[in-house]
Amino acid sequence: MPTIVGTPTTGRPVTSGTSMTFAHTTVGAARGLVGGCGLEMSGGGDIDCDAFAWNGDALTMIEREGGAVLEASLWLMINPDIGSFNAVAGWTIFVGSLVAAVAGVADVGTLKIDAGVAGAHRTAYIASGTSTTPTVTDADSQSGDLVAASASGASTTIAVGAGQTSQCESDNFGSSGTSWSLSTEAATGANTVMSYTLGASGTWSIVSTALIDGPAAAAGWGHLIAGQRNRHVMQ
């Protein structure tokens, strides 16, 4: 199944502007890069994370979910450039103002890449509500998939549920106590549940999708050649 390789990176939260930049290092075994972004906005705001790039190349947005207080989004790239570069998450402010934003990325080791990003994942699922237990169900996950989820919650803490692994996390990153998580879980069949526990009842939003298994990177892959972005070549 798809695996997380290397060390995921969570960027330092920002409280102004329309983008954030953070350094990350992809490892040679990476076949994909999964990213997530969490936003907190002023009450009644309308702000969307609508851009995410790695070394200048765009990730594809899987989906985003949110309301007038917070948002979570999930992103994916296949065959990322290998090495130490910058990731940049960006957002557009339509109404209100940004309170804080955070983002992170994790390398995916084995992944189906022969049909582009659309063929590397299954249906995107979204959910939102108000409680201490954010939950979304990936109805079409299959055994051998790796389900990835991005979740924001209006709480000073967020903890992943049983069976999940926290890849990136930022607790209490906004002035109103919003927390964000990018987590994964190995699917054993359909209806994989991605769940979280907030430190207090609050609004929350989740986006998730199942990543589809594929071949691991061959030995010698993953070396960036100048002018060949988003492509792995044999050395």
Side-chain angles (χ1 to χ4, degrees):
M1 71 172 58
T3 56
I4 299 299
V5 293
T7 303
T9 299
T10 305
R12 183 182 298 275
V14 300
T15 57
S16 62
T18 57
S19 68
M20 63 174 289
T21 301
F22 58 98
H24 174 69
T25 299
T26 48
V27 297
R31 297 295 293 241
L33 187 70
V34 61
C37 181
L39 299 178
E40 181 186 339
M41 60 202 79
S42 59
D46 182 6
I47 304 177
D48 288 334
C49 182
D50 52 14
F52 210 130
W54 169 244
N55 192 28
D57 292 321
L59 280 73
T60 298
M61 185 175 67
I62 302 302
E63 188 58 274
R64 61 177 173 240
E65 173 68 355
V69 178
L70 51 77
E71 180 187 273
S73 59
L74 186 65
W75 302 74
L76 183 64
M77 169 184 278
I78 60 173
N79 281 346
D81 289 343
I82 302 302
S84 298
F85 304 107
N86 284 334
V88 181
W91 47 89
T92 299
I93 301 173
F94 298 100
V95 178
S97 60
L98 178 75
V99 175
V102 68
V105 292
D107 299 359
V108 183
T110 57
L111 185 67
K112 179 178 172 62
I113 62 170
D114 58 354
V117 171
H121 69 92
R122 305 193 193 279
T123 305
Y125 292 91
I126 60 174
S128 58
T130 302
S131 68
T132 59
T133 53
T135 303
V136 68
T137 300
D138 262 72
D140 68 350
S141 61
Q142 298 181 17
S143 178
D145 291 347
L146 182 71
V147 179
S150 174
S152 293
S155 168
T156 57
T157 60
I158 186 169
V160 301
Q164 291 168 232
T165 300
S166 177
Q167 305 296 347
C168 300
E169 184 174 316
S170 184
D171 289 334
N172 198 22
F173 72 84
S175 63
S176 300
T178 299
S179 296
W180 170 79
S181 171
L182 176 66
S183 67
T184 57
E185 180 173 349
T188 58
N191 299 312
T192 300
V193 176
M194 303 298 284
S195 63
Y196 302 83
T197 300
L198 301 180
S201 181
T203 58
W204 51 264
S205 295
I206 309 176
V207 179
S208 70
T209 196
L211 305 180
I212 303 172
D213 196 19
W221 284 55
H223 297 281
L224 177 68
I225 286 183
Q228 292 186 307
R229 290 177 174 268
N230 247 351
R231 188 178 300 171
H232 284 134
V233 295
M234 294 295 294
Q235 296 287 292

